[in-house]
Amino acid sequence: MNSRERVFAMLEGRPVDSLPAMPITMMFAADQVGVKYFNYATDYRVLAEAQLCVAERFDFDYVSVISDPGCEASALGASLKFFPDQPPAIDEENALLKDKSRLARLEVPDPAQPERMHNRAEGVRLLKERVGDDKVVEGWIEGPCAEAADLRGINSLMLDFYDDPAFVRELFEFLVEVELCFARYQVAMGADLIGVGDAAASLVGPKFYNEFVWPMEQKLVGALHAEGVKTRLHICGNTRRILEGMGRLHCSMVDLDSLSPVSEGREKMGAKQVILGNLDPVRVLKDGTPESVYEAVGECHRHAGHRFIVGPGCEVPRGTPPANLQALVRYAREHSGESA
């Protein structure tokens, strides 16, 4: 069973020879090939080289084009701040939708145009060309709440839920169109799986999540599933209050950050949900030992049960000892979905 077969078997509820290993690597991957993160985030050829390097060196079951949350925002006209060796950041003081009336003038960008969205899609194409059907190629989009925060500013968006709910709904509807267009383009370029990053959703609480965010996540994910596309939901932070809703999305897999216990994730999302996680990326993966990492993955596995993919709660931090990451994958290779 090769990596792609292993991941698809897990996602489809079939037996696997070992647990899949799918940790997110971005800055860590760039460091492995000695490139500045600016180049990683802006040049798909550099990103692909780094992803292929870490996937081969550490025996990951996939490669990914995730780099930063600014691709779609940039294509829509948002201002980004770029740094030599850190991820690009949204210029929130000059948020694109600081004036909410600008929303009416926005159009869904064409991901085929030579902008950052096109760069990411080219990364998908190149990775698929290099790995073929041996490993999963993961595309990436922003979720509606995260993208809204990028365009409006996180603090303004939080107030909008109270002050202007009609605007929030209109913005989310538009952003679902943007993200579906982007996801479909990446699938056409060869993506096997679409990751949906909706970090801001962890900040809104269950009332606003269920009223505003969940319906739009469901519309996005549901449309992709209807087209046969597999999905990975990644919401950073403490998601304990929205786990039940996350489970109702029925994503192919759900990442749990270290603030959300795997046992609660399993209880609230149900026995069929594939869960990835949820080692603390810093205190356990980066600052631990190979032995403590191996043991911690085992604890996650025991709580998650057989529908489980190995990985930390969020991105592998730069500076993580290679031996610790190797221990994480070694656990995956030494265990099947049936044994914990």
Side-chain angles (χ1 to χ4, degrees):
M1 183 172 277
N2 68 22
S3 288
R4 188 173 183 274
E5 293 166 342
R6 181 178 300 121
V7 172
F8 272 57
M10 174 60 73
L11 298 185
E12 294 168 0
R14 294 182 281 110
V16 293
D17 60 338
S18 72
L19 296 173
M22 298 179 66
I24 293 174
T25 57
M26 295 186 284
M27 288 188 286
F28 180 89
D31 290 346
Q32 291 298 298
V33 293
V35 298
K36 298 293 185 184
Y37 200 75
F38 173 85
N39 301 103
Y40 181 92
T42 59
D43 187 337
Y44 71 91
R45 292 159 295 194
V46 175
L47 181 148
E49 177 190 1
Q51 282 293 305
L52 292 164
C53 173
V54 293
E56 180 178 355
R57 179 177 181 184
F58 296 99
D59 192 24
F60 297 161
D61 289 301
Y62 86 127
V63 288
S64 178
V65 291
I66 181 175
S67 63
D68 66 276
C71 288
E72 299 95 308
S74 177
L76 286 162
S79 174
L80 269 63
K81 296 179 180 179
F82 289 91
F83 310 95
D85 202 23
Q86 294 290 333
I90 302 294
D91 183 2
E92 188 164 335
E93 292 184 1
N94 297 296
L96 180 67
L97 294 180
K98 191 172 186 178
D99 175 359
K100 292 185 288 187
S101 69
R102 293 189 66 179
L103 175 59
R105 301 192 295 274
L106 293 183
E107 297 181 356
V108 175
D110 180 1
Q113 294 301 311
E115 301 282 351
R116 297 201 66 222
M117 291 170 74
H118 180 66
N119 181 75
R120 176 171 289 177
E122 282 292 300
V124 170
R125 179 194 59 75
L126 181 56
L127 286 169
K128 187 64 176 179
E129 179 182 296
R130 295 287 297 276
V131 305
D133 289 333
D134 183 53
K135 294 183 183 293
V136 166
V137 176
E138 179 184 75
W140 200 269
I141 60 174
E142 293 298 292
C145 195
E147 189 61 32
D150 291 342
L151 298 180
R152 175 75 174 136
I154 185 68
N155 294 314
S156 296
L157 178 65
M158 293 299 125
L159 293 174
D160 290 335
F161 285 114
Y162 292 94
D163 299 337
D164 198 348
F167 168 75
V168 174
R169 290 189 175 94
E170 183 182 1
L171 175 57
F172 280 13
E173 288 278 3
F174 170 72
L175 293 176
V176 168
E177 292 184 45
V178 171
E179 301 303 344
L180 275 175
C181 177
F182 193 23
R184 287 165 176 151
Y185 189 65
Q186 292 180 68
V187 170
M189 297 289 263
D192 299 302
L193 170 74
I194 293 293
V196 181
D198 212 10
S202 67
L203 304 176
V204 302
K207 179 180 183 297
F208 287 151
Y209 179 78
N210 289 320
E211 183 178 351
F212 293 94
V213 181
W214 186 89
M216 293 297 101
E217 289 181 340
Q218 195 279 330
K219 186 174 182 179
L220 174 63
V221 169
L224 293 173
H225 287 176
E227 296 173 15
V229 179
K230 290 182 167 35
T231 55
R232 173 182 188 170
L233 181 66
H234 182 90
I235 301 179
C236 305
N238 188 341
T239 56
R240 297 175 75 173
R241 296 185 297 166
I242 62 172
L243 285 171
E244 188 272 336
M246 290 165 61
R248 283 190 288 113
L249 293 171
H250 302 297
C251 291
S252 307
M253 59 183 287
V254 172
D255 294 1
L256 285 185
D257 207 343
S258 57
L259 297 172
S260 301
V262 174
S263 57
E264 288 188 24
R266 175 56 68 216
E267 176 188 357
K268 294 182 179 179
M269 293 193 289
K272 294 183 179 180
Q273 179 64 65
V274 176
I275 293 174
L276 178 145
N278 70 334
L279 276 68
D280 186 307
V282 176
R283 288 185 294 180
V284 176
L285 186 58
K286 179 177 179 291
D287 296 338
T289 65
E291 293 75 21
S292 64
V293 168
Y294 189 95
E295 181 179 350
V297 179
E299 186 68 13
C300 292
H301 187 195
R302 282 188 286 275
H303 287 295
H306 68 281
R307 304 301 305 279
F308 179 61
I309 293 177
V310 172
C314 200
E315 175 186 5
V316 174
R318 66 188 340 166
T320 295
N324 288 4
L325 199 50
Q326 289 164 346
L328 180 144
V329 178
R330 180 164 55 85
Y331 183 94
R333 294 295 167 258
E334 293 177 357
H335 293 80
S336 71
E338 300 300 324
S339 60

